Amino acid sequence: MITPFTPAIRNTNKPRILIVDDNSRFSQSAHLILQQSGHYVVCEENDAASAVETAGSFRPDLILMDLVMPRLDGAQVAAQIESDWALHGVPIVFMTGLVTPAEAKNGQRIDGHRVLSKPVSSSNLLRVVEESLPCRAAA
């Protein structure tokens, strides 16, 4: 599901969060949590092969990326995003069930990216997003 990119969305000062996950039930849940917080503009992409194009159009401030997806895994998509000059530097947080909550809490990283362990609680999702946004991390 792709959120339309209207001028109103592009002109807001709210951080833009892109969720890339082949599991639409998970991405819709995360989308709802983030959007209901009132602090973010959220877009979902459920096809890993389209993630770079969607990111280029949406211009996210942060990407939440499933690590295990069919055809392309999250690490491959992250590498494509990082090689795109317009997207280079956008923080990516990997979401995966391959890392335990304790490992994620202790700073486990995959390819240098922060990890969020699935299943994700609402409070943990909001905390990790807030901590991972570039404007928040620098403060």
Side-chain angles (χ1 to χ4, degrees), residues 39-129:
H39 300 292
Y40 311 104
V41 175
V42 184
C43 176
E44 295 173 50
E45 178 56 70
N46 300 118
D47 178 18
S50 300
V52 176
E53 182 180 341
T54 300
S57 298
F58 185 62
R59 307 286 295 186
D61 296 298
L62 176 69
I63 299 171
L64 299 174
M65 177 91 59
D66 186 16
L67 190 57
V68 180
M69 295 183 281
R71 297 190 311 171
L72 288 173
D73 67 31
Q76 291 170 308
V77 177
Q80 290 177 7
I81 287 170
E82 290 169 334
S83 69
D84 184 313
W85 67 269
L87 298 171
H88 183 77
V90 173
I92 297 171
V93 175
F94 284 132
M95 302 176 298
T96 182
L98 301 175
V99 173
T100 68
E103 289 172 324
K105 188 175 182 178
N106 287 329
Q108 174 73 33
R109 293 179 108 49
I110 297 175
D111 289 343
H113 298 285
R114 188 170 188 169
V115 177
L116 185 58
S117 180
K118 288 181 177 181
V120 178
S121 69
S122 299
S123 59
N124 197 31
L125 175 64
L126 291 168
R127 180 184 58 78
V128 168
V129 164

Side-chain angles (χ1 to χ4, degrees), residues 2-5 9 15-19 27 30-37 39-44 58 64:
I2 299 176
T3 304
F5 309 120
I9 288 174
R16 294 175 310 279
I17 311 297
L18 174 60
I19 303 167
S27 64
H31 185 148
L32 210 76
I33 291 165
L34 293 168
Q35 191 157 327
Q36 286 182 343
S37 77
H39 300 292
Y40 311 104
V41 175
V42 184
C43 176
E44 295 173 50
F58 185 62
L64 299 174

